[in-house]
Amino acid sequence: MSARATTVTIVAEIPPIPDWALFTIQRRTLHSSYCTAQRFAPNGFEKYYQATDVKASSDLVPEKIRTFELAVEHNITKNLRGIVSAYHYQLDQLITQVADPADGFNVFRNIPAE
């Protein structure tokens, strides 16, 4: 088993995310990785902007994401490699602009995960 670490920067640097090579058989390797991240705070435009058809949204919470990847890597020759990957992303509290049903004005709201 081997491990490789990478660093991802979203708003601030977060600790390395492991990428596990679960096992290698001859020229094939199975990799997996799992990551969680969040956008720490909505920006000022999303929270406080107001215009004739847009109203402020001071009740926003941070967006969160969880990702999972499973990949199979095959070394075809010494200089040629093929990789097949499957990904799953789950977003929670995504910030998006919607029309408020009460008055029709646009407003930024968090959308919970389904």
Side-chain angles (χ1 to χ4, degrees):
M1 180 187 252
S2 65
R4 176 178 66 206
T6 57
T7 301
V8 176
T9 303
I10 294 181
V11 172
E13 192 170 298
I14 60 175
I17 300 166
D19 174 11
W20 291 286
L22 299 177
F23 60 86
T24 301
I25 298 175
Q26 292 182 352
R27 297 181 299 172
R28 291 182 190 94
T29 303
L30 178 65
H31 294 271
S32 71
S33 66
Y34 177 79
C35 176
T36 61
Q38 74 176 14
R39 194 173 78 159
F40 293 103
N43 63 41
F45 179 78
E46 293 165 336
K47 289 183 83 163
Y48 305 113
Y49 178 71
Q50 295 185 54
T52 56
D53 63 342
V54 179
K55 59 184 184 177
S57 311
S58 60
D59 59 343
L60 295 173
V61 298
E63 297 173 327
K64 296 178 182 175
I65 186 171
R66 283 185 272 163
T67 65
F68 177 74
E69 177 190 5
L70 189 61
V72 177
E73 178 181 326
H74 179 71
N75 294 318
I76 299 165
T77 67
K78 181 179 176 183
N79 298 317
L80 182 62
R81 172 177 28 179
I83 300 174
V84 175
S85 297
Y87 298 88
H88 175 73
Y89 294 91
Q90 183 177 2
L91 291 164
D92 190 26
Q93 302 301 329
L94 178 68
I95 298 172
T96 190
Q97 193 174 31
V98 297
D100 189 338
D103 55 19
F105 287 114
N106 290 325
V107 63
F108 286 97
R109 292 281 184 238
N110 290 103
I111 307 294
E114 294 180 6

